Amino acid sequence: MVALWAGGAHVFDALVLRADAVASGQWWRLVTGHFVHWSAWHVAVNAGGLAIWLLLCPVRWSLPRWSGVLLVEALAVSGGVLWMSPDVMRYAGFSGILHGLFLVALVPQAFAGDRIAGACLLYLVGKVGLEQVIGPVMSDAEHIGAAIATESHLAGLLGGLALLLAPRGWRAVAPAASRRSRGD
């Protein structure tokens, strides 16, 4: 994310999610739009969120599993943004995927009895629900350089839910600690 941001406006313009570009066959934007950012602050917030996720969520996925989860999440978030907000001309950022990653990691932990994970899960779902009613709970759009696309957060959660509900989904993405506690 940092390297793409450092690439400047040319890289951003080539990768940002744009509905018109996707409609004309530039399908890669459905994935790449999540790895480019509007500003240094935007990339720092998203990279920081990913670092927190990596520290707090005990998942140890292989490269193919990481790739699959990121692909599903990217497509879910892109589809959600394009469907729920057809007036959005351009979308960039990782926060929608990040919301889905937190759901995928927190649900199995919460069901395994981890109360902190359960509290975080309630906060996550409550935050996204509140965003759908009142808009961004906290807005640093001024620092980010664009309005907060709260529909991306909802789409990320829905993508995470799809991953968990898919055949073998729970087993494929559940943290090892929760699998052990369930006797798997």
Side-chain angles (χ1 to χ4, degrees), residues 88-151:
V88 171
M89 303 308 288
R90 298 186 312 164
Y91 173 84
F94 196 74
S95 65
I97 290 175
L98 195 54
H99 280 72
L101 289 175
F102 271 107
L103 183 84
V104 163
L106 291 172
V107 165
Q109 291 178 63
F111 276 92
D114 183 332
R115 290 183 182 163
I116 294 173
C120 291
L121 182 60
L122 286 174
Y123 169 79
L124 178 69
V125 172
K127 172 195 168 286
V128 172
L130 190 59
E131 286 178 341
Q132 301 314 302
V133 175
I134 67 168
V137 176
M138 294 177 61
S139 180
D140 46 345
E142 187 177 306
H143 293 102
I144 289 174
I148 308 296
T150 59
E151 57 277 347

Side-chain angles (χ1 to χ4, degrees), residues 1-2 37 40-54 94-95 98:
M1 289 187 277
V2 173
H37 292 78
W41 178 258
H42 191 208
V43 75
V45 168
N46 280 202
L50 183 58
I52 290 168
W53 183 84
L54 289 167
F94 196 74
S95 65
L98 195 54

Side-chain angles (χ1 to χ4, degrees), residues 58 60 112 171 174-184:
R60 301 295 179 255
R171 270 188 165 306
S178 70
R179 285 199 303 265
R180 281 193 302 274
S181 66
R182 289 189 358 245
D184 291 340

